[in-house]
Amino acid sequence: MNSIMRAAAAFTEYQRRRREAFALTRLRDELLKHKVHAELRDDDSVLMVHRPGGAGLPVWVFVGYGGAYYSWRSAEKRHPVSDLQGAAQVLAGSVGR
């Protein structure tokens, strides 16, 4: 792979990561409307969603399936990124809010 191809691949990867980070940031902000605290972790690649009152382990949410879905619980649960409000509602219910 030549230097131009390497640079193009790196830029494509950078853009993908930024899109995923933006989607997670939007979900974090939407979860606040449901009084669910969440924070971006690991270089903005995952969202740690806290359970109410600190009871139990947090839920880790990532963007997967080519950027199409929010996924959690080892990808057992997922919701389309295009439905931000629905994803926040389902996730809030999943953590007990």
Side-chain angles (χ1 to χ4, degrees):
M1 183 183 297
N2 66 35
S3 61
I4 294 173
M5 291 173 65
R6 243 188 330 271
F11 183 68
T12 300
E13 178 65 15
Y14 170 80
Q15 286 180 316
R16 183 190 63 79
R17 287 177 176 249
R18 294 301 355 137
R19 278 192 307 272
E20 290 177 3
F22 181 66
L24 291 170
T25 300
R26 290 178 58 224
L27 180 59
R28 180 200 60 196
D29 294 347
E30 191 67 28
L31 284 168
L32 283 175
K33 295 177 184 177
H34 295 274
K35 299 184 176 156
V36 174
H37 174 68
E39 59 186 277
L40 289 166
R41 300 296 297 265
D42 297 338
D43 198 23
D44 298 343
S45 64
V46 66
L47 187 66
M48 184 173 73
V49 181
H50 299 278
R51 294 184 183 276
L57 295 172
V59 174
W60 296 87
V61 180
F62 61 95
V63 176
Y65 300 95
Y69 289 92
Y70 294 111
S71 300
W72 62 98
R73 290 196 181 147
S74 299
E76 280 182 23
K77 303 289 184 180
R78 66 181 183 201
H79 199 88
V81 169
S82 60
D83 180 18
L84 179 63
Q85 292 152 345
Q89 187 174 18
V90 170
L91 192 53
S94 181
V95 297
R97 188 43 109 182

